[in-house]
Amino acid sequence: MLNCRSIKSFAKGSFGDKKAKAFSLIEMSLVLAIMGTIAGLSLPMLLEYKGTQKRQSSIRNIDLVLSATGTFAATNHIIPCPASKTSKGESVVCTATSSLFATGYVPYKALGLRKAASKDGFGNPLRYAIDPQLSVYASFYSNTEKAALQVTDQNRKSVFNPQDNHQDKVALVVLSEGKAFGSAKGAFELENTAESLSFVDAAYSTNKEAPFRHIVRWSTRNNLLTYYGKSSPLPQARSPLRDDKSGTSAPQTHPPKGPTNPLGGGSNGAF
């Protein structure tokens, strides 16, 4: 005959002691605290890693644009004018005597690039600025005009001194705004997005008061031809392909001059 004590013993043996197997509130709190600490340490590292990957992707696309522009310049002896926000990758018409339309976005159609190549690793359009004198064949090799495109470092010192090499000038700037896209902060970032031909190439910084999150790449005309375009620069002025008294340039209408260079790429696709 079963008594109450036998029934309690049977139940305890069959279903176990629930109190012994349960987690206490203290144990649960400790586990959650450990998990929170691990997440807190890992998340910033993960975000930094992703940010580094995006910056590296930006640099690759910038180099692709420089190579394509060097090839175009070596073949046509001009640099294509920038694209505008509404030209869908086509070069706008700019003039050698004005800075108007000399800054904008990558003219990926004129350069033979895919649309994706004109964007940075953050998915935003790359900025593209040229010395307008180099958009016209008649003045492409001229060294007499003062360079319109200026690039300085964080100490406001010019990155290229024409007095050291009077047969060259800064020709092209390609820039990624990075995480600062649409939210420039600090004097340097604001200057780079001011639609002017003055740029700052400073060290990367996330300083809250004066950050610099841009990636700036620039090239002189001769370096653009020899390094990126794999051609030989000619420092003396040449006669123009045609009588262009207006001084306007429509890069896509110029016939090729000289040997065609296969370098340039376009597999990475832009803006």
Side-chain angles (χ1 to χ4, degrees):
M1 184 176 180
L2 294 175
N3 54 30
C4 291
R5 181 175 296 180
S6 300
I7 293 174
K8 287 182 179 180
S9 299
F10 174 78
K12 185 176 180 180
S14 300
F15 303 105
D17 190 347
K18 293 183 180 180
K19 184 177 180 181
K21 289 190 175 182
F23 288 101
S24 67
L25 290 176
I26 296 177
E27 290 172 331
M28 290 293 294
S29 299
L30 183 59
V31 170
L32 292 174
I34 293 173
M35 293 176 64
T37 301
I38 294 173
L41 293 173
S42 302
L43 185 60
M45 295 174 64
L46 179 61
L47 294 176
E48 179 60 28
Y49 173 76
K50 288 186 175 181
T52 300
Q53 293 293 100
K54 290 179 179 179
R55 289 193 292 273
Q56 290 176 346
S57 178
S58 300
I59 292 172
R60 285 194 295 270
N61 276 5
I62 290 174
D63 286 340
L64 184 63
V65 171
L66 288 170
S67 294
T69 308
T71 300
F72 188 99
T75 302
N76 300 283
H77 309 293
I78 59 171
I79 296 177
C81 299
S84 69
K85 289 183 178 179
T86 58
S87 68
K88 298 181 180 179
E90 297 283 3
S91 293
V92 298
V93 177
C94 53
T95 65
T97 57
S98 173
S99 61
L100 188 65
F101 303 124
T103 179
Y105 302 94
V106 176
Y108 62 87
K109 289 185 178 178
L111 295 174
L113 296 171
R114 294 181 182 178
K115 185 176 181 179
S118 64
K119 294 184 179 181
D120 61 16
F122 297 83
N124 301 316
L126 294 169
R127 287 183 173 268
Y128 173 100
I130 67 170
D131 185 324
Q133 296 159 3
L134 306 182
S135 68
V136 177
Y137 184 84
S139 57
F140 183 76
Y141 288 101
S142 175
N143 299 304
T144 57
E145 298 90 349
K146 182 180 178 181
L149 192 57
Q150 302 292 328
V151 183
T152 59
D153 61 20
Q154 57 197 25
N155 298 316
R156 292 298 182 179
K157 182 179 178 181
S158 178
V159 297
F160 178 78
N161 187 355
Q163 295 180 352
D164 296 335
N165 186 351
H166 63 280
Q167 294 185 339
D168 204 0
K169 62 179 69 175
V170 175
L172 173 69
V173 172
V174 184
L175 180 152
S176 163
E177 295 181 54
K179 293 176 65 176
F181 183 80
S183 59
K185 183 179 180 181
F188 295 164
E189 290 186 352
L190 290 171
E191 182 172 340
N192 285 349
T193 56
E195 305 293 338
S196 69
L197 293 180
S198 177
F199 295 89
V200 180
D201 183 8
Y204 184 84
S205 172
T206 55
N207 183 290
K208 291 184 178 181
E209 296 185 5
F212 190 77
R213 297 155 291 178
H214 291 180
I215 301 172
V216 181
R217 292 290 184 272
W218 57 273
S219 176
T220 65
R221 177 197 57 202
N222 289 356
N223 194 54
L224 192 66
L225 291 171
T226 56
Y227 181 77
Y228 292 105
K230 307 300 182 184
S231 179
S232 298
L234 299 177
Q236 70 276 12
R238 288 185 168 193
S239 59
L241 281 170
R242 60 185 180 184
D243 183 14
D244 191 355
K245 295 181 180 180
S246 66
T248 60
S249 171
Q252 56 272 31
T253 64
H254 280 270
K257 182 77 173 178
T260 301
N261 193 303
L263 183 67
S267 59
N268 285 350
F271 169 57

